[in-house]
């Protein structure tokens, strides 16, 4: 598809944080429209298939509302002019920022609406908001978009969609059934059916409805505030500052271990075979080789990093694998009056659905959280400036909270990370390489953060 509405969609996608192909040349290949959600204004979910110049393709969910004219208050949600059968020339907006369509989505759950291409499923135990609840897009935007309905429920619409079961739905449903206190309760999900550009009919999850956590504070924000408190004091150690985060990091470690325990109970465990380990190591090497093409700064480190993957491949100790979070970091956690909650079980966005649904060692999640502590210190340092004494304090803060998290994880019943250093190090390197690629493509001024971490990991090994 070229020209007109397709070009407007292409420009809109490129500006959205949830669109993964911002740095790649692509075209809108097709648009598959689902059933109308509302008639006034006309609104529906559209599945937009994009094709990159290298041949790869992805499908994105764009709820669209068609208005008769432009609305100055919706400038941030403007897609562009479109000619729609039965409507004529209209203006397309992202429908999640328009009141009527978000209300229609809630009504779909309240009435368990069923269409040939839309399926609103509600859990038997779910308590839903009243129909009068007004939906509003939550400010935090990452790979999906969430709409809050008062203080009762949150609907997360998956922006990049796939055929098959979304891991977030599958895992959250299982943990809800397990009675796990560390996840927001699942209320229901939205499924859709559509045709691919090749004409294949597929079915997949479009969104999930969960309880709203009224007292929740983002774990990333709490961590950043702790680092800022430390940098303002300058001459104090992390444990001497009122905003010390270590006790929270320890409790978060316990919560993570308990979620892993419940995931093991729900989905079972197995042992990584020799072939599995070799395949996992080969995938790590492939990701590193690709990363060097994106960030040539990795070239000098590639030798020691490949050696770390070789050490992982040569492990002789048994490695237990199970369903895990797959993309765990402070931004996927919420602190409430009832303790830590873990959210967003979709897995790492850059991986395929099959990879994100596969079993892996829980230490991959642990490695992701360790990286997040480093990031909190590093990002704050970027804002304060690279003064040597602040860099030293930031490293202290990171080391203290990393250790507190590891201690909590072991105390919570998880595998003691201190007994699996080779495994944990390989996962941490793999995650950091992913971060280098992400920053090089999206925030080049941040790429020094993961690069410096890789240098430390290499130095630790040589020491």
């Amino acid at each position: 598809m070229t020209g007109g509405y397709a070009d407007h969609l292409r420009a809109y996608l490129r500006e959205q944080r949830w669109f993964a192909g911002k740095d790649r040349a692509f075209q809108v290949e097709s648009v598959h429209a689902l059933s109308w959600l509302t008639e006034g204004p006309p609104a529906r979910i559209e599945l937009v298939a994009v094709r990159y110049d290298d041949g790869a393709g992805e499908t994105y969910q764009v709820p669209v509302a068609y208005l008769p004219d432009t609305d100055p208050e919706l400038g941030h949600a403007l897609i562009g002019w479109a000619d729609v059968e039965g409507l004529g020339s209209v203006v397309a907006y992202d429908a999640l920022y328009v009141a009527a369509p978000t209300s229609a989505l809630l009504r779909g759950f309240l009435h368990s609406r069923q269409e040939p291409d839309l399926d609103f499923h509600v859990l038997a135990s779910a308590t839903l908001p009243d129909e009068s609840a007004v939906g509003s897009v939550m400010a935090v935007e990452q790979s999906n978009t969430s709409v809050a309905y008062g203080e009762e429920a949150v609907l997360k619409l998956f922006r990049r969609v796939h055929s098959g079961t979304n891991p977030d739905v599958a895992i959250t449903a299982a943990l809800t059934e397990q009675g796990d206190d560390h996840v927001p309760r699942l209320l229901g999900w939205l499924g859709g059916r559509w045709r691919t550009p090749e004409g294949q009919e597929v079915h997949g999850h479009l969104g999930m409805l969960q309880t709203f956590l009224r007292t929740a504070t983002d774990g990333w924000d709490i961590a950043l505030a702790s680092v800022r408190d430390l940098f303002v004091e300058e001459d104090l150690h992390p444990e001497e500052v009122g905003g010390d985060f270590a006790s929270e990091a320890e409790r978060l470690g316990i919560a993570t271990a308990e979620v892993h325990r419940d995931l093991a109970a729900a989905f079972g465990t197995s042992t990584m075979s020799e072939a599995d380990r070799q395949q996992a190591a080969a995938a790590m090497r492939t990701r590193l080789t690709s990363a060097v093409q994106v960030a040539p700064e990795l070239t000098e480190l590639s030798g020691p990093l490949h050696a770390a993957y070789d050490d992982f491949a040569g492990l002789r100790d048994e490695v237990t694998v199970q369903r895990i979070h797959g993309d765990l970091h402070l931004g996927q956690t919420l602190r409430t009056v009832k303790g830590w909650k873990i959210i967003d079980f979709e897995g790492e966005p850059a991986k395929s659905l099959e990879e994100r649904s596969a079993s892996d060692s829980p230490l991959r999640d642990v490695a992701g959280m360790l990286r997040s502590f480093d990031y909190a210190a590093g990002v704050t340092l970027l804002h304060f400036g690279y003064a040597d004494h602040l860099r030293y304090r930031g490293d202290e803060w990171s080391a203290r909270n990393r250790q507190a998290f590891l201690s909590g994880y072991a105390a919570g019943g998880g595998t003691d990370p201190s007994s699996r250093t080779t495994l944990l190090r390989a996962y941490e390197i793999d995650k950091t390489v992913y971060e280098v690629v992400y920053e090089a493509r999206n925030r080049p001024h941040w790429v020094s953060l993961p690069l410096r971490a890789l240098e430390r990991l290499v130095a630790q090994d040589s020491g």
Side-chain angles (χ1 to χ4, degrees), residues 418-453:
S418 66
S419 67
R420 308 306 303 268
T421 54
T422 298
L423 183 61
L424 181 59
R425 182 168 178 266
Y427 282 130
E428 189 170 357
I429 288 174
D430 190 43
K431 180 66 174 180
T432 312
V433 168
Y434 163 81
E435 293 165 355
V436 170
V437 173
Y438 180 87
E439 301 302 0
R441 286 176 169 168
N442 296 278
R443 297 178 297 207
H445 58 294
W446 281 23
V447 76
S448 61
L449 300 180
L451 283 173
R452 183 168 177 255

Side-chain angles (χ1 to χ4, degrees), residues 25-227:
F26 73 95
Q27 298 295 329
V28 171
E29 187 172 18
S30 68
V31 177
H32 185 102
L34 303 185
S35 297
W36 292 104
L37 296 170
T38 61
E39 295 182 359
R44 62 192 180 188
I45 292 172
E46 297 183 356
L47 285 307
V48 181
V50 302
R51 183 69 59 184
Y52 297 102
D53 283 4
D54 62 6
E58 295 173 330
T59 301
Y60 286 86
Q61 176 180 189
V62 185
V64 180
Y66 292 105
L67 306 185
D69 208 341
T70 56
D71 185 337
E73 295 185 2
L74 292 174
H76 60 289
L78 174 64
I79 297 172
W81 289 93
D83 290 314
V84 180
E85 184 178 354
L87 301 178
S89 182
V90 287
V91 187
Y93 287 91
D94 191 317
L96 296 186
Y97 297 90
V98 181
T102 57
S103 295
L105 287 167
L106 176 59
R107 287 196 302 273
F109 286 104
L110 288 168
H111 301 291
S112 297
R113 179 180 174 181
Q114 302 290 313
E115 300 286 348
D117 54 7
L118 282 176
D119 171 18
F120 290 82
H121 182 90
V122 179
L123 271 63
S125 59
T127 300
L128 302 183
D130 185 85
E131 190 166 322
S132 63
V134 177
S136 59
V137 174
M138 300 182 71
V140 177
E141 291 281 350
Q142 294 192 25
S143 57
N144 300 299
T145 303
S146 294
V147 179
Y149 293 97
E151 293 188 344
E152 302 300 322
V154 174
L155 173 61
K156 178 164 67 175
L157 271 295
F158 304 126
R159 288 297 192 166
R160 185 166 56 166
V161 297
H162 308 266
S163 171
T165 301
N166 186 290
D168 204 359
V169 176
I171 289 177
T172 308
L175 292 176
T176 296
E177 185 176 346
Q178 289 276 330
D180 192 298
D181 290 331
H182 299 301
V183 297
R185 185 173 183 81
L186 182 68
L187 303 175
W189 61 81
L190 172 60
R193 294 176 179 82
W194 65 94
R195 286 190 179 277
T196 67
E198 295 76 27
Q200 179 185 7
E201 185 171 313
V202 297
H203 175 270
H205 286 115
L206 302 179
M208 58 191 291
L209 191 69
Q210 294 179 274
T211 54
F212 184 91
L213 300 176
R214 294 182 180 87
T215 64
T217 303
D218 187 277
W220 173 251
D221 290 340
I222 301 174
L224 290 182
S226 174
V227 184

